[in-house]
Amino acid sequence: MSKAIVFDLDGTLVDSAPDLMDAHNYVMKKFGYDQKPLTDIRRLAGRGAANMILSSLKKEEKMFDQNIHKKMTEDFINYYRENISKKSQIIKGVNDFLVWGKSQKINFAICTNKMESLAKKLLKEINLIEFFDYIAGVDTFEYRKPDPRHLTNILEILDIKKEDSIMVGDSETDAETARIAKVKFILVKDGYTEKDHTSIYHDYFINDFTEMNGILSKMKFLN
């Protein structure tokens, strides 16, 4: 029986915060706004580039309009595309787990609110893209996380039942997506969220991917 694990990307498989914040601060400085510390990634990431910029602009006293927001988002994406993997690091244990999972014939997919082209570029540059059977970004479908269809449509494409799948993510956006979709959810520690892990819905919790095999055994996922 086929199984699938669907992963969020930023903060789950890859610590992409340094490159995201470099792009963010490049744009903020260019347009005359305050730059933000790396720690702000926890409140800024998870819902795509446009929302990331908008969240920062709302904290500013300086006025802005939709045209400025649109141009800043475009500049953010262009800068980030060219610098997408300069500082990003794969989360501990991810490589070994993906290798093991493929040996067990598990289908792997990505469900991210990053643009599909950017997700594929990042995965290619950090040498992880070969592990994934499907990659769905914020612009792949007409809906995005936390809309559960972002997840369930991936499972339909892979032809795998919900009960034979798991979602792995690092934030309440991922958690809500899995909860509404009725898919088991594993929460990764220290994600891009301001919430403590105890206040985020999850079925299981891991500190890093060295613990994934044990969790899957506990879940009897491959039985």
Side-chain angles (χ1 to χ4, degrees), residues 9 112 114-124 135:
L9 182 55
T112 176
K114 187 190 234 66
M115 290 171 60
E116 182 182 324
S117 63
L118 293 179
K120 288 179 175 178
K121 189 174 195 294
L122 176 58
L123 289 166
K124 184 176 181 179
I135 298 167

Side-chain angles (χ1 to χ4, degrees), residues 182-195:
K182 296 186 167 83
V183 170
K184 292 290 185 184
F185 181 65
I186 297 175
L187 179 65
V188 181
K189 183 182 179 181
D190 292 334
Y192 298 167
T193 174
E194 292 184 284
K195 292 187 176 181

Side-chain angles (χ1 to χ4, degrees), residues 74-150:
E74 290 172 354
D75 283 5
F76 171 94
I77 292 169
N78 290 334
Y79 182 94
Y80 182 62
R81 181 181 286 112
E82 297 305 313
N83 300 277
I84 199 166
S85 63
K86 286 189 180 298
K87 300 177 182 177
S88 293
Q89 298 289 323
I90 299 170
I91 301 293
K92 182 180 178 182
V94 166
N95 267 308
D96 288 344
F97 175 72
L98 293 177
V99 169
W100 174 83
K102 280 303 171 186
S103 74
Q104 302 299 309
K105 303 293 191 289
I106 300 173
N107 292 275
F108 289 143
I110 295 289
C111 181
T112 176
N113 279 343
K114 187 190 234 66
M115 290 171 60
E116 182 182 324
S117 63
L118 293 179
K120 288 179 175 178
K121 189 174 195 294
L122 176 58
L123 289 166
K124 184 176 181 179
E125 291 190 10
I126 61 175
N127 299 311
L128 290 184
I129 198 164
E130 64 185 283
F131 292 106
F132 295 96
D133 302 284
Y134 195 80
I135 298 167
V138 70
D139 52 347
T140 304
F141 309 126
E142 294 179 355
Y143 27 81
R144 56 190 281 174
K145 297 183 297 185
D147 189 316
R149 292 174 295 178
H150 198 168

Side-chain angles (χ1 to χ4, degrees), residues 27-28 31 33 47-58 63-77 144:
V27 171
M28 294 297 283
F31 284 81
Y33 296 99
R47 292 180 178 269
N51 279 316
M52 185 178 188
I53 297 300
L54 184 61
S55 294
S56 279
L57 288 175
K58 286 181 176 179
M63 296 297 293
F64 69 94
D65 58 28
Q66 289 185 344
N67 289 331
I68 291 175
H69 176 232
K70 181 180 179 182
K71 185 64 172 66
M72 290 178 73
T73 301
E74 290 172 354
D75 283 5
F76 171 94
I77 292 169
R144 56 190 281 174

